[in-house]
Every structure is written in structure tokens, then in C-alpha cells.
């Protein structure tokens, strides 16, 4: 079996570590481009959301390269993600490609079925080894997210523009050749050191913008036009609380083992959102409140067109904007691939934030809304 | 007497009898919002964010319509209406959307209704809702019992093929759809709030009746049977509507008694984007029943809608009378 998986930011490194440790054969699909989206949209009904279309694109491109099994994660919330596995399988069958979808979740049939699915990847290794590999994959995820966070901070302060991007490009290039979680972790450490050596602008006091919203659009650089890089190169520090490692730790491990989960965002969202409505709504609302209290200059809310849970968030965010006096801009991503319009909106938002900050220093606090 | 306002939107079209009986048994005066109309839709669309779907915007309009007329608005927080199933996230969050988009709302009954774990939660929800009106537990229990009876009775009638006419909007309580005596029968699939709200769907059901067609809706099909039939999927659908629609279509195909299947969906409905695709594939693969999907949004141009419907109707009639059985549907 030759495995593949859909792209979600740097998750491919985690998946790579996971599959390497099992000595499984796999193919990393080409990174998301307009072509991926084009292929995906061709085989999907128009009402499907962007992540699904890109998943289909990834699946087809990987299939061309010889993959015949795709790993995805699942769920059973009201959000559509929980049904992606089945729909992808149906789409694959309809197109007529040979692809088996393996959903890594606890299915209706119970843990035995999950075990059987994991066995397809792991072969005949011992249970202890499976746990070990899963754990080291989790560690890779955490380290990668830390690396990304470090990059966001350095990018806003670097003395020579583009030094972070240079290191990151080299990292992306080299990581493909490195095998196994141990080596990957080492290489991440090395890159971290390189980043720490970058000369920084000591008295920089960058604007701080937080990104909230649907997990796929906020993390996948293609889906948000590399928002973090664009803002970072404008000299802005970007923060995003929803990460892959956070998802793996809280939603896969802790939830599965019934351990207490990080729920600060749930508490913060209580005043606006009565309870869970699926997707990342609670994260979006809760984290927006937390960010506002932490003194961020602005918040950008991202989601793909037709994402049901985030529509609920969007309706609630103006209340937070007003209560906490923080500008929030909602950007909805669809199949339109015009980057310039997106950048224009970002620039306008950033100008607004700069103006606000300037006015605050002069002792005025005029509220300007984010849209 | 306390005035309880019930917005005539979303799950009202399913639980009208239950809610009305419950509140009037408790001794409250039930006030319904107006029937859906153009002004109401405009009001709703102005208050609501533009990305939300049509039924949600209309629900906003219904709530706005009640403001000022009532002491308390009944706007329950639905999470699940049957075991192991969810409903659409937008409906889960609609009370919060409304609370955070408008000011000057009266008191709100926003008790959570969650039957995902156990059906007993329905009684607990009723108890909590009842406590907004009265402290008398016995009274609540009685009202709950009566409401359930009334609801079940209505469901039974619905199942036998009779449609409670527009939910008694015109003082005609029940009207028969002559399901058996008509020559043609069309199944209309969709969420209860699109199928039964005659403004949203531009009087689709009346129009079909006008053509002499009988109508079958999902409420006339057996839910437990539908649930059973969904087992053929590798993973059970976790949306209530999905289970009803997929299982329902499976029943319809097997019975062979419908001459056409119409699917109503509102633009941007996330649940439908998956469910309708599954349903359409199933119909096209396993039968030669004509299938048409109608997408509804705020544009209320009726002519285009009528043209499509007429074409569909003509095609069904021609197919049967000419007995070609050559499908013109694809």
C-alpha cells in the first residue's frame, strides 16, 4: 500500500515522521496550487467547501503519482469534516481511481476497527511501538508549531527583510530528504537555532494581529494566500492559537483518553456563545476575547465560503468588537484566486490599526471599526 | 397572562403542535409571528449577516416581528433532535447569533434541547422551559404529556399521507392530499422549514397540487426504517436531515410509487451540499426516477422557478402517457 494524505500547512512533516517510523511507503502530494483547486472543483458539487475541494485535488494528484490509500482524520460533530472520509471515498469511486480512504478516528464499530486501520499502516509491530510512534509524531507536531510561532515573532522584528523566509525556504526544501521523527526533530532544532541567530531590530514594537477562524483556512498557506508571511513582512506580529499540535493533543489524545482538556477558550466564549455548535466556533469566539484582553491591535477572522459553524461566529464577532473595542475583519475564502484584492484588504486593515495605535498614544481613543 | 412569542420559522414547522399545546396548557398566551412575507424577509436579511442561509434570515425576521408584542420569546437552542444525530450548526447557534446581532430583545427562553445522548432529555428540557412560566411541576408534567399526545397525533396523521395544511394558517385544520387517487405523485425532499413554508418555496406544494400531483414529504416516511436503511453507508450520517433524506429516498426507490423527486435546498446549506449529493447519486444509480434540485435564495423571481417546475411536470406526464420510458431527465 502506498499512502498519501491531504495537505494542511506543515502537517505533511508530521505525517511524514509518522509514516517513516513505520517504514511505510508514501507519497506527499504536490503542494496546493491553483491547479489543485481546479482539479478538485471539477469533481465536486459547487456547494462543497474549499477544504473538501482541495482534499479531492490532493487525492487525485497523489493518485497520479501512484498512491492508493489516503489517511485523513475524522470526527462526528455537526461540521462537515466528520463526513469527509465517506464523501472522498465516494468521489474516488465515481472518478474511477483506486484509492482507499483510511479515517483515523474511533468509528461506530469501536476501538477494534481503529486498531485494524492503524495496523494497515503499522504492519506487525507491537502495540507499544505504535504508541511510541504516535507520541513522537505528536512531538514533531508540537515542535513544528513552535517553529512557526518563532518565525512569526522573528519576521516582525528582523533587521534584514527576508532573512526568516530564506531560512524557512531552506527548511522546506531539506525536510523532504530527511527521514524519521528523530532526524526531523533534530533538523527542526537546527533551524530554530538559525532563526535565533537572526539579527533583530531591538526597539521594534510591532503591531500585533491575531488570526482566528476555521482551522483549515487559517493554517493552510494556500487557502489564506500566505497571510502570515504577508503580514510578517509588513512588520506585524501574527499569532494563531489554533494549531495542528493543539488539535492532536486536545482533540485526538486527550479526548480519546478522557483526560481534562484545555478549555480556557470555552470559558471565555461563554458570554457570547451558549455552547458548542461544532467546528471551531468556540475557539474563534473564545480566542477573540482572550486576544482582546491580551491587548492585540486587531483580529482577522478567516473561513471558507459555506462553512456553517463560522457563519455563527461571524454573526457574534461584532458584539465582541464593540464590547472589547478591538477591530475585527472577516475574510471569506472561495475559489476566486485573486491575491491582489486580498492584499489590498489586509493593507487597509493594517493602516487602520496603525492609525488607531497612533491616536491612542496621543491620548485619544477614537474607535474605528474594522470594516 | 404571560405572552409567549413563538417565531414561525425553522423547527416551528415540525414542532408547532407540541409547542403551542405545551404553552397554552401552562396557561400562557401563545403569540405567533406573522406568516413569512416580503417585509419580514427584508427585516431579517437586514439584521442578519449576509452569509447565513435563507431560513436563518427569515427566522431573524420572525423574531424581529415578535419584539414589542410579547413578554418572552421562545427560541430554544437545538443541538440534536434524535439519538446520535446532530442538526445543522447554524441552527445550533441561531439564538446566539440573534442575541449578539440585535439589542432590545425581550426575555428569551433559550433552553438547550439535546436528545443526542438520551430521549429523556426532552422531558428535562420541557421542565426547564416550563419553569419560565410556572413553578408548578405537576402542571408542567401534565402540559408536557398533553403536548406530546397532540404532537404524536399530528405526526400520525402526517404519516398517513395527509398534510396538516400550512400548519393551520388559514383556519382549515386538515386537508387531504389525495395521494392514492391522483395519477402522479412527487416526493418533495427538504428541511421542514423549506418544504412547509409556502413563502420560501413559492407555494411549491400548492402548485404541485394545482397540476393534480400528489405530494410525499419526508414526514410521511417511517423514520426508524430510514435509520435502518442508512446502515448501508460505511459511516452513519450524523445529521438528522441526512438520515431522513437518505433513508427516505431508499424507501421511495424501493416502493416505486413516486414519479419524480424534487429536492429543495437553500443556497449555502452545508448539510445539503453533502446529503443532496449522496441522495442524487443514489437516485441516479439505482432508479430511473426523474430528479430535480431547486436552490432557494432571497431572489424571489417566481417566473424562473415556475418554468423549471412546469418543465419537470410536463416531462413526468409525457413520460408516463407516451410510455417510452426513455428518460428525458438526464
Amino acid at each position: 500500500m502506498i499512502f498519501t494524505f491531504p495537505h494542511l500547512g506543515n502537517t505533511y512533516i508530521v505525517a511524514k515522521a509518522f509514516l517513516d517510523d513505520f517504514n511505510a511507503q508514501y507519497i506527499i502530494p504536490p503542494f496546493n496550487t491553483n491547479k489543485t483547486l481546479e482539479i478538485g472543483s471539477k469533481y465536486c458539487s459547487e456547494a462543497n467547501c474549499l477544504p473538501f475541494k482541495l482534499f479531492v485535488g490532493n487525492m487525485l494528484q497523489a493518485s497520479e503519482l501512484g498512491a492508493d490509500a489516503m489517511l485523513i482524520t475524522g470526527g462526528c460533530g455537526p461540521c462537515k469534516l466528520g463526513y469527509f472520509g465517506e464523501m472522498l471515498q465516494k468521489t474516488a469511486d465515481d472518478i474511477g481511481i483506486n484509492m482507499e480512504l483510511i479515517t483515523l478516528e474511533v468509528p461506530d464499530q469501536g476501538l477494534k476497527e481503529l486498531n485494524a486501520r492503524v495496523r494497515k499502516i503499522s504492519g506487525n509491530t507491537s502495540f507499544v511501538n505504535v504508541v511510541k510512534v504516535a507520541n513522537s509524531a505528536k512531538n514533531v507536531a508540537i515542535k513544528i508549531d513552535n517553529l512557526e510561532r518563532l518565525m512569526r515573532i522573528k519576521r516582525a522584528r528582523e533587521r534584514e527583510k527576508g532573512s526568516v523566509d530564506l531560512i524557512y525556504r531552506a527548511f522546506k526544501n531539506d525536510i523532504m530528504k530527511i527521514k524519521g521523527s528523530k532526524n526531523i526533530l533534530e533538523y527542526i532544532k537546527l533551524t530554530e537555532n538559525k532563526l535565533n541567530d537572526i539579527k533583530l531590530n531591538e526597539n521594534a514594537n510591532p503591531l500585533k494581529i491575531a488570526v482566528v477562524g476555521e482551522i483549515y483556512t487559517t493554517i493552510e498557506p494556500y487557502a489564506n494566500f500566505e497571510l502570515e508571511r504577508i503580514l510578517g513582512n509588513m512588520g506585524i506580529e501574527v499569532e494563531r492559537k489554533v494549531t495542528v499540535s493543539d488539535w492532536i493533543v486536545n482533540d485526538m489524545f486527550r479526548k480519546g483518553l478522557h483526560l481534562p482538556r484545555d478549555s480556557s477558550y470555552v470559558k471565555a466564549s461563554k458570554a457570547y456563545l451558549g455552547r458548542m455548535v461544532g467546528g471551531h466556533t468556540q475557539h474563534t469566539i473564545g480566542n477573540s476575547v482572550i486576544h482582546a484582553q491580551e491587548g492585540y491591535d486587531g483580529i482577522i477572522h478567516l473561513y471558507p465560503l459555506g462553512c456553517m459553524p463560522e457563519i455563527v461566529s461571524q454573526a457574534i464577532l461584532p458584539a465582541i468588537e464593540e464590547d472589547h473595542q478591538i477591530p475585527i475583519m472577516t475574510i471569506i475564502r472561495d475559489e476566486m484566486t485573486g491575491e491582489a484584492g486580498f492584499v489590498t484588504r489586509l493593507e487597509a486593515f493594517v493602516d487602520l490599526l496603525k492609525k488607531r495605535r497612533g491616536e491612542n498614544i496621543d491620548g485619544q481613543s477614537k474607535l474605528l471599526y474594522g470594516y | 397572562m404571560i405572552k409567549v412569542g413563538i417565531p414561525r420559522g425553522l423547527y416551528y414547522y415540525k414542532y408547532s403542535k407540541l409547542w403551542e399545546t405545551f404553552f397554552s396548557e401552562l396557561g400562557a398566551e401563545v403569540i405567533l409571528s406573522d406568516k413569512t412575507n416580503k417585509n419580514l424577509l427584508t427585516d431579517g436579511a437586514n439584521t442578519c449577516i449576509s452569509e447565513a442561509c435563507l431560513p436563518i434570515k427569515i427566522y431573524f425576521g420572525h423574531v424581529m416581528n415578535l419584539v414589542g408584542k410579547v413578554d418572552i420569546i421562545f427560541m430554544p437552542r437545538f443541538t440534536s433532535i434524535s439519538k446520535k444525530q446532530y442538526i445543522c450548526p447554524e441552527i445550533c447557534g441561531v439564538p446566539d447569533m440573534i442575541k449578539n446581532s440585535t439589542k432590545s430583545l425581550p426575555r428569551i427562553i433559550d433552553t438547550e434541547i439535546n436528545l443526542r445522548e438520551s430521549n429523556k432529555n426532552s422531558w428535562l428540557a420541557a421542565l426547564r422551559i416550563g419553569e419560565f412560566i410556572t413553578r408548578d411541576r405537576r402542571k408542567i408534567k401534565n402540559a408536557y404529556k398533553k403536548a406530546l399526545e397532540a404532537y404524536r397525533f399530528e405526526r400520525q396523521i402526517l404519516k398517513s399521507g395527509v398534510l396538516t395544511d400550512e400548519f393551520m394558517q388559514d383556519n382549515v385544520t386538515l386537508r387531504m392530499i389525495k395521494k392514492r387517487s391522483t395519477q402522479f405523485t412527487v416526493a418533495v425532499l427538504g428541511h421542514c422549514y423549506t418544504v412547509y413554508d409556502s413563502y420560501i418555496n413559492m407555494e411549491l406544494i400548492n402548485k404541485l397540487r394545482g397540476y393534480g400531483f400528489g405530494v410525499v414529504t419526508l414526514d410521511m416516511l417511517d423514520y426508524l426504517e430510514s435509520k435502518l436503511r442508512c446502515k448501508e453507508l460505511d459511516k452513519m450520517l450524523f445529521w438528522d436531515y441526512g438520515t431522513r433524506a437518505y433513508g427516505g429516498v431508499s424507501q421511495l426507490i424501493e416502493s416505486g410509487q413516486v414519479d419524480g423527486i424534487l429536492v429543495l435546498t437553500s443556497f449555502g446549506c452545508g448539510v445539503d451540499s453533502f446529503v443532496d449529493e449522496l441522495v442524487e447519486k443514489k437516485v441516479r444509480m439505482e432508479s430511473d426516477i426523474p430528479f430535480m434540485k431547486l436552490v432557494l435564495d432571497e431572489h424571489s423571481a417566481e417566473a424562473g422557478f415556475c418554468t423549471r417546475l412546469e418543465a419537470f411536470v410536463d416531462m413526468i406526464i409525457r413520460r408516463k402517457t407516451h410510455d417510452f420510458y426513455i428518460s428525458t431527465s438526464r
Side-chain angles (χ1 to χ4, degrees):
Chain A
M1 237 177 207
I2 302 172
F3 296 98
T4 187
F5 40 82
H7 272 297
L8 168 63
N10 282 329
T11 318
Y12 70 95
I13 302 172
V14 182
K16 189 172 139 61
F18 184 70
L19 292 165
D20 274 342
D21 287 0
F22 282 130
N23 272 327
Q25 268 189 303
Y26 61 89
I27 280 166
I28 301 176
F31 288 110
N32 285 330
T33 55
N34 289 351
K35 195 178 168 208
T36 317
L37 183 58
E38 210 175 281
I39 297 173
S41 328
K42 203 164 132 193
Y43 294 106
C44 294
S45 89
E46 41 133 24
N48 283 336
C49 55
L50 184 86
F52 185 76
K53 287 175 186 167
L54 286 170
F55 276 24
V56 173
N58 288 152
M59 182 171 79
L60 281 160
Q61 287 187 319
S63 159
E64 274 171 23
L65 296 172
D68 59 6
M70 191 177 197
L71 301 177
I72 65 161
T73 56
C76 64
C79 163
K80 279 190 279 189
L81 176 73
Y83 217 70
F84 271 24
E86 303 313 306
M87 289 306 283
L88 283 170
Q89 184 71 67
K90 280 226 164 7
T91 314
D93 295 347
D94 278 0
I95 301 167
I97 55 170
N98 176 26
M99 184 69 78
E100 186 186 345
L101 265 292
I102 300 173
T103 316
L104 295 177
E105 60 166 349
V106 182
D108 292 341
Q109 297 93 317
L111 285 167
K112 219 172 165 187
E113 172 69 19
L114 177 67
N115 185 39
R117 288 181 193 176
V118 174
R119 284 282 164 221
K120 281 185 190 161
I121 310 162
S122 65
N124 286 325
T125 51
S126 65
F127 178 70
V128 180
N129 194 32
V130 172
V131 174
K132 235 182 185 164
V133 170
N135 190 47
S136 52
K138 181 204 78 181
N139 289 339
V140 171
I142 292 173
K143 286 287 179 237
I144 290 214
D145 283 326
N146 287 345
L147 186 77
E148 283 182 18
R149 191 159 283 141
L150 188 69
M151 280 197 306
R152 292 196 289 259
I153 293 170
K154 298 284 177 194
R155 222 183 243 135
R157 294 176 173 81
E158 62 193 0
R159 199 174 282 170
E160 198 180 320
K161 282 281 161 228
S163 8
V164 170
D165 284 348
L166 207 66
I167 294 170
Y168 183 51
R169 223 173 294 143
F171 171 78
K172 272 184 90 169
N173 200 20
D174 293 345
I175 202 84
M176 288 291 195
K177 296 168 209 151
I178 296 168
K179 279 193 168 262
S181 58
K182 210 172 143 222
N183 298 333
I184 288 175
L185 281 172
E186 258 169 37
Y187 191 69
I188 293 172
K189 184 85 200 132
L190 203 80
T191 314
E192 235 176 77
N193 292 341
K194 271 196 224 162
L195 283 171
N196 280 326
D197 289 342
I198 291 177
K199 286 204 176 74
L200 297 183
N201 201 346
E202 295 304 330
N203 11 330
N205 182 17
L207 280 175
K208 283 162 92 183
I209 293 181
V211 176
V212 297
E214 193 268 338
I215 185 165
Y216 189 87
T217 0
T218 48
I219 294 179
E220 169 59 34
Y222 172 72
N224 59 31
F225 298 107
E226 299 191 67
L227 171 86
E228 284 169 12
R229 196 176 58 83
I230 294 174
L231 286 176
N233 288 337
M234 286 180 191
I236 293 156
E237 191 183 322
V238 184
E239 165 66 342
R240 158 166 59 78
K241 275 208 159 64
V242 175
T243 55
V244 175
S245 60
D246 178 73
W247 196 79
I248 293 176
V249 171
N250 279 312
D251 289 81
M252 281 175 90
F253 288 170
R254 293 213 175 153
K255 194 179 178 186
L257 300 170
H258 300 287
L259 292 171
R261 288 187 275 165
D262 170 32
S263 60
S264 55
Y265 62 89
V266 178
K267 225 178 270 168
S269 70
K270 268 280 177 287
Y272 299 95
L273 188 69
R275 52 158 292 111
M276 183 292 290
V277 302
H280 279 76
T281 313
Q282 270 182 324
H283 291 80
T284 304
I285 301 296
N287 287 338
S288 299
V289 173
I290 293 171
H291 287 310
Q293 284 161 352
E294 283 171 350
Y296 276 76
D297 292 282
I299 294 173
I300 291 177
H301 176 220
L302 270 171
Y303 72 88
L305 182 76
C307 176
M308 301 177 285
E310 291 304 326
I311 289 174
V312 177
S313 311
Q314 198 197 347
I316 297 172
L317 285 175
I320 296 176
E321 196 172 42
E322 206 176 321
D323 293 351
H324 294 271
Q325 302 278 299
I326 183 167
I328 302 176
M329 176 168 71
T330 298
I331 298 180
I332 303 165
R333 179 66 158 70
D334 59 10
E335 280 135 84
M336 302 301 151
T337 47
E339 195 182 332
F342 181 80
V343 176
T344 310
R345 290 192 68 189
L346 284 185
E347 280 171 356
F349 188 62
V350 169
D351 283 347
L352 166 98
L353 298 184
K354 276 186 187 150
K355 184 111 168 65
R356 269 192 99 214
R357 200 185 241 199
E359 283 188 351
N360 262 327
I361 289 166
D362 298 338
Q364 289 173 305
S365 60
K366 229 189 234 168
L367 176 75
L368 289 167
Y369 273 104
Y371 49 89
Chain B
M1 202 151 69
I2 189 165
K3 286 185 194 160
V4 178
I6 302 182
R8 207 194 284 262
L10 299 182
Y11 278 106
Y12 170 80
Y13 292 102
K14 194 176 181 98
Y15 297 116
S16 56
K17 198 86 193 175
L18 183 79
W19 295 346
E20 282 166 22
T21 320
F22 182 67
F23 284 117
S24 42
E25 284 293 325
L26 284 179
E29 190 188 342
V30 177
I31 293 179
L32 294 176
S33 56
D34 298 342
K35 273 191 260 178
T36 313
N37 55 47
K38 191 156 186 153
N39 289 338
L40 209 135
L41 170 59
T42 318
D43 278 357
N46 286 341
T47 345
C48 185
I49 53 164
S50 52
E51 279 73 23
C53 64
L54 185 64
I56 297 276
K57 285 177 187 163
I58 286 178
Y59 192 73
F60 267 67
H62 282 292
V63 173
M64 295 299 119
N65 187 262
L66 285 171
V67 172
K69 290 185 197 163
V70 294
D71 306 317
I72 192 162
I73 294 184
F74 179 59
M75 203 156 60
R77 191 190 299 282
F78 279 105
T79 302
S80 166
I81 54 170
S82 47
K83 216 170 178 181
K84 283 196 175 170
Q85 309 262 288
Y86 275 115
I87 58 167
C88 141
E90 274 182 63
I91 298 179
C92 294
V94 78
D96 293 307
M97 286 167 82
I98 292 178
K99 267 189 268 177
N100 288 299
S101 321
T102 51
K103 282 155 194 160
S104 74
L105 279 177
R107 267 175 82 208
I108 287 168
I109 303 180
D110 63 346
T111 309
E112 190 193 351
I113 295 175
N114 186 352
L115 311 184
R116 188 173 150 76
E117 307 293 337
S118 150
N119 286 336
K120 273 184 196 141
N121 288 352
S122 132
W123 155 242
L124 292 177
L127 190 64
R128 258 173 264 141
I129 294 165
E131 276 167 357
F132 278 86
I133 315 285
T134 169
R135 293 242 162 266
D136 189 351
R137 251 174 189 241
R138 200 119 131 258
K139 209 169 163 188
I140 299 172
K141 193 161 190 177
N142 269 332
Y144 176 65
K145 233 170 156 180
K146 284 220 172 109
L148 263 189
E149 265 167 34
Y151 169 69
R152 287 198 179 125
F153 181 65
E154 193 200 43
R155 288 275 115 185
Q156 218 53 51
I157 296 173
L158 261 174
K159 234 182 218 171
S160 66
V162 180
L163 212 59
T164 43
D165 187 56
E166 313 282 53
F167 290 80
M168 292 145 283
Q169 287 181 4
D170 301 306
N171 293 329
V172 186
T173 43
L174 298 169
R175 193 200 284 168
M176 299 284 294
I177 317 177
K178 296 172 196 110
K179 192 179 159 197
R180 297 278 169 255
S181 59
T182 47
Q183 213 179 342
F184 302 103
T185 313
V186 172
V188 179
L189 310 185
H191 297 265
C192 57
Y193 42 84
T194 51
V195 173
Y196 299 124
D197 187 336
S198 55
Y199 181 80
I200 291 192
N201 62 32
M202 303 184 202
E203 308 223 355
L204 175 71
I205 289 182
N206 276 340
K207 274 178 188 147
L208 284 172
R209 279 182 197 154
Y211 291 122
F213 276 43
V215 176
V216 177
T217 64
L218 287 177
D219 291 307
M220 295 175 196
L221 303 166
D222 191 27
Y223 175 58
L224 292 176
E225 173 79 24
S226 293
K227 214 167 178 173
L228 217 63
R229 279 167 190 263
C230 280
K231 290 249 158 69
E232 71 178 53
L233 290 163
D234 293 331
K235 180 179 180 178
M236 280 284 278
L237 282 155
F238 45 74
W239 298 295
D240 179 67
Y241 170 69
T243 310
R244 279 172 205 277
Y246 190 83
V249 159
S250 164
Q251 290 184 49
L252 288 172
I253 291 173
E254 201 180 287
S255 75
Q257 283 176 340
V258 288
D259 303 294
I261 295 177
L262 270 174
V263 171
L264 273 178
T265 171
S266 29
F267 178 75
C269 179
V271 175
D272 283 3
S273 70
F274 275 9
V275 172
D276 289 352
E277 211 179 313
L278 281 175
V279 165
E280 183 170 355
K281 271 178 195 164
K282 190 171 175 68
V283 174
R284 299 237 193 263
M285 294 272 284
E286 294 175 16
S287 74
D288 60 349
I289 303 173
F291 178 96
M292 183 166 76
K293 187 167 152 185
L294 289 165
V295 184
L296 306 166
D297 60 12
E298 290 103 308
H299 302 288
S300 45
E302 214 179 329
F305 186 84
C306 286
T307 310
R308 291 194 65 191
L309 191 65
E310 270 169 30
F312 188 70
V313 164
D314 285 348
M315 184 258 299
I316 290 176
I317 296 173
R318 221 166 278 167
R319 246 183 135 200
K320 199 117 187 190
T321 49
H322 289 67
D323 217 345
F324 286 127
Y325 285 111
I326 298 167
S327 172
T328 44
S329 68
R330 54 187 108 163

